[in-house]
Amino acid sequence: MSNIIFMGTPDFSAPILKALHEAHGVSLVITQPDKPVGRKRVLTPPPVKEMAESLGIEVYQPESMKSDEAFEKVRALSPDLIVTAAFGQILPERVLDIPRLGCINVHASLLPKYRGGAPIHKSIINGEKNSGVTIMYMVKRLDAGDMIDSVKVPIEIDDTVGTLHDKLSDAGTKLLLEVMPSVLNGTNNRTPQNDDEATFASNVSREEEYVTFDRSALEVHNHIRGLSPWPVAFANFDGKVMKLWASEMADGKGAPGEVIQADKAGLVIATNDGAVRITSLQPAGKKRMDAASFVAGAKSQLVGMKFNEA
């Protein structure tokens, strides 16, 4: 078997690591350090670390791949190939130059569209009909290397970041296994990207989580599902922040942001061309709940109230 280093961190990467190790063997897994999670700030290992340990693979968790220690760790192993998938750190050029077969990345978009750290979120928010996975060679520039192969994955109207994430992880796993033999024997395709067609998907900012309703119903729906189940969209309601976990298209008219219906089906909120129904939400200081429970427990008349009203 070839000497392969795998670099990845979140849930997206774990099944890719498992399949790669079972097919070709992985000598070392490099992932992000354990991080505090939740209100109690419990130190939690990334999913890739948990997968690697279950497979009996050595794990290395550097704070930065730019450090001399990280460079020496990789160089000492003399890998044939480095495979990355949502690792979360940019590899310096001296690390990229180590493997004799180079470094390849499993990226969750149809490059050159949506280069960067949040391609799944941004493709849904922007109303794309398709996403996909591209496997490419890594270069110094962000997600700009030659493409080896790609696969298209349709985005359904009810897809969220969570559902599309899982579809793309599965598609990326299958595609990687398909291209690996040609990568290892040097017969794979290398197609340069057209930089003129490149778009970028930077990590979601707090400002981008804020939902406004003075847009089309489809744009609002895309915004909410494009942030679910993480980091979750929010709006202001009755002077407090409310997280909006799930929505669907609805009928109705009213001033943008106005609640025009509140019943067991949820909260229907007007947009500038129709309405959306919020089916799952989280009031400030409370747990996530279905919108029907929120309506049932409301202490005041909801219809006529407005989201994001000053």
Side-chain angles (χ1 to χ4, degrees):
M1 286 190 172
S2 298
N3 183 2
I4 299 172
I5 291 177
F6 180 84
M7 300 182 181
T9 301
D11 288 323
F12 177 85
S13 316
I16 297 174
L17 165 61
K18 185 176 188 292
L20 178 64
H21 180 63
E22 291 175 347
H24 299 281
V26 171
S27 304
L28 175 69
V29 166
I30 300 179
T31 188
Q32 297 275 50
D34 297 359
K35 292 185 177 180
V37 173
R39 290 185 177 181
K40 295 185 178 180
R41 310 303 288 165
V42 177
L43 197 62
T44 304
V48 162
K49 178 182 180 179
E50 294 181 323
M51 178 62 74
E53 290 179 339
S54 74
L55 296 170
I57 309 171
E58 179 187 355
V59 177
Y60 176 55
Q61 296 176 273
E63 290 288 342
S64 173
M65 286 303 299
K66 295 180 181 179
S67 69
D68 290 339
E69 178 192 90
F71 170 71
E72 293 298 340
K73 180 74 172 180
V74 174
R75 186 172 68 169
L77 200 61
S78 298
D80 298 308
L81 179 72
I82 291 176
V83 178
T84 73
F87 174 44
Q89 293 189 34
I90 295 175
L91 301 189
E93 194 167 13
R94 64 175 181 168
V95 173
L96 294 175
D97 290 341
I98 292 174
R100 67 178 183 86
L101 295 174
C103 304
I104 64 173
N105 180 43
V106 182
H107 184 73
S109 81
L110 295 173
L111 292 171
K113 295 189 72 173
Y114 297 106
R115 296 175 180 176
I120 302 176
H121 296 80
K122 298 298 177 66
S123 62
I124 295 177
I125 290 171
N126 292 341
E128 298 285 357
K129 301 299 183 184
N130 295 290
S131 183
V133 175
T134 304
I135 297 179
M136 60 164 187
Y137 279 99
M138 298 175 69
V139 294
K140 191 175 181 180
R141 292 170 57 217
L142 179 65
D143 298 330
D146 291 348
M147 298 178 292
I148 300 171
D149 204 353
S150 63
V151 60
K152 184 183 294 185
V153 175
I155 301 177
E156 307 296 338
I157 189 62
D158 58 349
D159 267 326
T160 63
V161 170
T163 61
L164 184 57
H165 166 282
D166 292 348
K167 293 177 184 179
L168 293 175
S169 178
D170 183 59
T173 300
K174 293 175 181 176
L175 185 62
L176 179 63
L177 294 184
E178 290 175 11
V179 305
M180 277 297 294
S182 65
V183 170
L184 294 173
N185 64 31
T187 61
N188 58 287
N189 298 321
R190 294 188 67 134
T191 304
Q193 295 187 43
N194 183 349
D195 287 343
D196 292 338
E197 297 178 355
T199 62
F200 293 87
S202 57
N203 291 332
V204 177
S205 67
R206 178 64 174 170
E207 290 74 21
E208 290 175 306
E209 296 169 23
Y210 180 73
V211 176
T212 58
F213 296 90
D214 55 347
R215 298 174 291 165
S216 73
L218 182 58
E219 287 175 314
V220 174
H221 176 56
N222 289 343
H223 194 161
I224 293 170
R225 69 193 183 103
L227 295 171
S228 179
W230 69 89
V232 186
F234 74 92
N236 295 318
F237 186 69
D238 197 21
K240 298 178 182 178
V241 169
M242 177 180 285
K243 291 185 177 182
L244 307 178
W245 283 82
S247 63
E248 58 189 30
M249 303 290 286
D251 295 323
K253 292 183 180 180
E258 180 185 1
V259 178
I260 56 176
Q261 182 179 326
D263 54 29
K264 62 182 180 180
L267 284 179
V268 178
I269 306 170
T271 67
N272 69 4
D273 73 343
V276 293
R277 176 178 288 105
I278 304 302
T279 58
S280 180
L281 51 78
Q282 184 175 356
K286 297 184 179 181
K287 294 182 178 181
R288 176 182 179 178
M289 65 180 72
D290 59 79
S293 297
F294 174 75
V295 171
K299 296 179 181 179
S300 58
Q301 175 69 29
L302 297 174
V303 174
M305 296 181 70
K306 292 189 68 176
F307 278 80
N308 300 336
E309 189 168 53

